[in-house]
Amino acid sequence: MSSGQAEAEAAAIGGQRVGENDVGITEYVSSHVGFKGTLKYRYSDFIVNEVDLEGKVVHLTDTSNPERQQKSPAAVVEDTTSDTTKTPPPPVPDAGELLAKGLSELATVIGESQAAKVKEFLQAESEESVSANQEEVRTMVLDADSDKQKRTQVHQLVRQYFPTLATDTVKVDGDHTSIRLFVTADTGKGQQGGQNPHKRQKG
């Protein structure tokens, strides 16, 4: 549409064409001579026609609602049968199974004898119910191990399988590093909530 046509249409509908100066545009970045024009002035400027793969303009000829596809009774029965044959989720292990699995995996890292001591420590903890008002902290120190990767595994296994225990690292026999297990009065929160009165060391 030319500038003259736009102005003519604006005058015909009683409108006033807004120029650049009206909105504060007085300078341009480029130095060449510009030109005036109007883009997308009429509603028809916004009409878009779809074209199919053969290059033909597509027109909407049917505005009725599409019919719903209803399943046949046989298909419904088939779907119900397929739902009932799905594999059920694996059963959640109980506390005893979780404890046994944790001790088994712990034994592969720290050895059978150390794992047996951890089991005794846990049994003693369950037999002696710790009062929430007690400040006593029951601890057990594992044999020193210089392998940091193994110590990391022990920390992770305790956190995964023994919620009433927490761990940290301590120095024993001079400069040897060992893992300490402890049970506090706040056993219900496990590793995250256990109140360790000792400052945890790295490693």
Side-chain angles (χ1 to χ4, degrees), residues 99 103 106 110 113-130 136-142 158 162 164-167 179-184 187:
L99 174 64
L103 290 171
L106 197 60
I110 63 176
S113 61
Q114 286 284 287
K117 292 180 180 179
V118 173
K119 182 179 180 179
E120 294 175 0
F121 181 72
L122 287 168
Q123 289 175 338
E125 179 267 328
S126 62
E127 292 170 0
E128 301 174 8
S129 178
V130 181
E136 176 188 2
V137 178
R138 298 178 58 251
T139 64
M140 171 187 175
V141 179
L142 301 178
V158 170
F162 310 110
T164 62
L165 297 182
T167 60
I179 291 179
R180 174 175 55 189
L181 311 178
F182 58 91
V183 179
T184 69
T187 57

Side-chain angles (χ1 to χ4, degrees), residues 4-159:
Q5 289 176 324
E7 292 176 354
E9 288 194 7
I13 61 176
Q16 181 66 35
R17 184 177 184 275
V18 178
E20 288 85 350
N21 289 331
D22 297 327
V23 293
I25 301 175
T26 59
E27 302 294 336
Y28 299 93
V29 174
S30 59
S31 59
H32 64 78
V33 179
F35 59 91
K36 294 183 178 181
T38 303
L39 296 177
K40 294 188 179 298
Y41 182 77
R42 299 171 299 181
Y43 75 90
S44 58
D45 295 333
F46 295 87
I47 296 176
V48 177
N49 293 321
E50 301 291 340
V51 180
D52 63 15
L53 297 177
E54 297 179 354
K56 297 179 180 179
V57 178
V58 178
H59 297 282
L60 180 62
T61 58
D62 186 0
T63 58
S64 61
N65 294 328
E67 295 182 0
R68 288 190 175 185
Q69 298 291 335
Q70 295 183 353
K71 292 184 178 180
S72 64
V76 174
V77 172
E78 183 179 353
D79 289 346
T80 305
T81 305
S82 63
D83 289 340
T84 57
T85 56
K86 288 182 180 179
T87 305
V92 178
D94 59 22
E97 293 176 350
L98 196 65
L99 174 64
K101 184 177 181 181
L103 290 171
S104 176
E105 292 193 23
L106 197 60
T108 63
V109 181
I110 63 176
E112 294 288 347
S113 61
Q114 286 284 287
K117 292 180 180 179
V118 173
K119 182 179 180 179
E120 294 175 0
F121 181 72
L122 287 168
Q123 289 175 338
E125 179 267 328
S126 62
E127 292 170 0
E128 301 174 8
S129 178
V130 181
S131 170
N133 296 323
Q134 281 185 313
E135 296 295 335
E136 176 188 2
V137 178
R138 298 178 58 251
T139 64
M140 171 187 175
V141 179
L142 301 178
D143 291 344
D145 194 336
S146 60
D147 190 333
K148 187 173 182 178
Q149 185 175 0
K150 282 187 177 180
R151 296 199 305 269
T152 299
Q153 285 182 280
V154 174
H155 288 303
Q156 292 173 343
L157 289 173
V158 170
R159 184 162 50 245

